[in-house]
Amino acid sequence: YTFRNATFLGSASAIAAVSVDTGESFELRLTGGMTMTYANVTSATQRRLDVTASSGNITFDGASSWQVNSIMKVVDVNIPYGSSINVNAIGYPGATGPGPGQNRDRGPGGGGHGGVGGTTRGGSSAGGIVYDDTFRPIDFGSGGGDTTNIGGQQGGSGGGALQIQSSGNFTLNGTVSADGGGGSTSGCDGGGGGAGGSVYVFITTLTGTGNLTAKGGAGSDNCDYDGGGGGGGRIAIYSGDRTGHSGTLSVTGGAGG
């Protein structure tokens, strides 16, 4: 899709575009409880929407949500109370990525990214490795390990990747999250948690009370050997002035099953 200005109304909308070229100026508004998400896209590398503009704003109204891996280059971003940019569990799927948790018949490891993935309670399955740039994180979180039994369960997907580059103000009273997904569970089979993704913010001014997270997903509880929790992701914020922001940042690892 190619467009210059857009207002999305209603309760939900699904897109399957890999990228959007917005031209020189861009105004995007999500209103009326709008949720923007992906449809029929299974590859983590395809789940990215580029919003690039020399001038323009992104505004959320009415508890709206943006659930797309994105690179946003705009002027002002406003996320009010009840609204969110949420790229949770749309990174690398279970058992994939640069640092996936180890697969095992029972008790697979958690995915890695900013932190090492968790091992199982018995310590028999390794968690995924650390990768990506600490100061400029742009990669997805890796998926948790899968169980290898017949009918086994998948590891949770890693968190997505979000980049916000703003030459103006970023007002955050809602939430920004790139958390990993939890491992699925069925009977005594369960997967490892996905690692947190990445949030990279380069802005002039950050204000508000909203939180930013890239937490690992929980490992599943599967009877004898629990799935390992996903490692935490990465958050890097570069801002000329953050004194007006009182929210928290969190990249904690996920709990074991």
Side-chain angles (χ1 to χ4, degrees):
Y1 302 104
T2 301
F3 51 86
R4 287 290 182 89
N5 302 286
T7 298
F8 294 95
L9 304 172
S11 60
S13 181
I15 61 173
V18 175
S19 64
V20 173
D21 181 2
T22 63
E24 297 179 355
S25 180
F26 181 63
E27 297 288 336
L28 173 64
R29 181 178 294 272
L30 273 66
T31 188
M34 183 71 184
T35 297
M36 180 69 75
T37 187
Y38 264 105
N40 303 319
V41 180
T42 57
S43 170
T45 56
Q46 291 180 309
R47 294 172 175 166
R48 186 184 295 279
L49 179 69
D50 297 343
V51 178
T52 304
S54 59
S55 63
N57 307 303
I58 295 180
T59 302
F60 293 69
D61 294 326
S64 296
S65 179
W66 179 276
Q67 298 176 328
V68 183
N69 293 311
S70 306
I71 300 176
M72 300 180 179
K73 298 179 181 178
V74 293
V75 177
D76 293 324
V77 180
N78 180 30
I79 306 175
Y81 296 102
S83 293
S84 68
I85 297 180
N86 163 4
V87 294
N88 298 338
I90 56 173
Y92 294 109
T96 66
Q102 183 181 8
N103 295 339
R104 196 168 181 83
D105 56 350
R106 287 187 178 178
H113 183 199
V116 176
T119 60
T120 61
R121 182 183 299 175
S124 56
S125 299
I129 63 171
V130 172
Y131 60 93
D132 204 2
D133 191 324
T134 301
F135 302 103
R136 188 179 179 272
I138 58 173
D139 211 342
F140 308 113
S142 289
D146 294 341
T147 55
T148 56
N149 292 331
I150 296 175
Q153 299 298 299
Q154 287 190 327
S157 295
L162 175 68
Q163 297 180 52
I164 299 176
Q165 300 180 41
S166 168
S167 59
N169 301 317
F170 182 13
T171 304
L172 176 61
N173 287 306
T175 60
V176 172
S177 57
D179 301 338
S184 59
T185 303
S186 177
C188 280
D189 288 328
S198 63
V199 178
Y200 175 52
V201 181
F202 195 94
I203 53 179
T204 301
T205 304
L206 176 62
T207 61
T209 61
N211 302 327
L212 299 94
T213 67
K215 299 183 288 189
S220 63
D221 186 345
N222 59 345
C223 300
D224 299 325
Y225 292 97
D226 302 330
R234 297 185 184 275
I235 298 176
I237 299 178
Y238 297 90
S239 174
D241 183 2
R242 288 178 54 189
T243 57
H245 180 244
S246 59
T248 62
L249 281 64
S250 177
V251 291
T252 57

